[in-house]
Amino acid sequence: VEKNLKLEEKITMLQQQNEELRARIEKNTVITRQLSEENANLQEYVEKEMEEKKKLSKTNEELLWKLQEEDATSPVKLQSSSSTSFYRCSSRNSSPAKVRTLRQ
């Protein structure tokens, strides 16, 4: 009888531990899903930022090329490269980079 009581206590204790572990597993599953979703959103954001960077880089190259072509055909040459100022636009802004030339 005494042995049965000890075994019943042990069964009760193991059932409680089992319930606690199931609750932890459920909580971890929810957290894992949230983190996976957040990771997917961040990956998408990074890809969009990379595309925006590529577009801005291409726009910058095109503007530099146009500037060089303009300088090559212009009768007045720039005296130094420091007379050309470039303004970066924020990566959050979708407008192309602005280029301003100062003629002396």
Side-chain angles (χ1 to χ4, degrees), residues 55-69 96 99:
K55 287 178 186 177
L56 290 172
S57 179
K58 184 178 177 182
T59 301
N60 189 35
E61 287 179 25
E62 290 172 358
L63 291 171
L64 285 172
W65 182 82
K66 287 179 183 179
L67 182 62
Q68 289 172 350
E69 289 295 309
V99 177

Side-chain angles (χ1 to χ4, degrees), residues 7-102:
L7 288 174
E8 285 177 10
E9 287 176 16
K10 191 167 187 174
I11 288 173
T12 303
M13 182 185 71
L14 290 172
Q15 286 174 336
Q16 289 173 347
Q17 285 180 348
N18 194 19
E19 288 177 31
E20 290 170 5
L21 290 172
R22 285 180 196 219
R24 286 176 58 188
I25 288 171
E26 191 173 321
K27 183 179 177 181
N28 286 342
T29 301
V30 169
I31 291 171
T32 301
R33 280 191 200 123
Q34 290 172 344
L35 291 173
S36 293
E37 187 175 323
E38 184 177 345
N39 186 39
N41 290 337
L42 289 172
Q43 286 287 348
E44 185 178 331
Y45 175 78
V46 166
E47 288 175 19
K48 286 180 182 179
E49 285 293 315
M50 286 174 55
E51 285 299 315
E52 183 66 21
K53 184 178 177 182
K54 285 179 187 178
K55 287 178 186 177
L56 290 172
S57 179
K58 184 178 177 182
T59 301
N60 189 35
E61 287 179 25
E62 290 172 358
L63 291 171
L64 285 172
W65 182 82
K66 287 179 183 179
L67 182 62
Q68 289 172 350
E69 289 295 309
E70 179 183 304
D71 288 346
T73 60
S74 173
V76 178
K77 298 282 184 186
L78 291 178
Q79 293 179 357
S80 70
S81 61
S82 64
S83 64
T84 303
S85 301
F86 295 92
Y87 294 92
R88 284 183 79 172
C89 67
S90 170
S91 62
R92 295 179 191 149
N93 189 348
S94 61
S95 66
K98 296 178 183 175
V99 177
R100 180 181 75 178
T101 59
L102 300 174

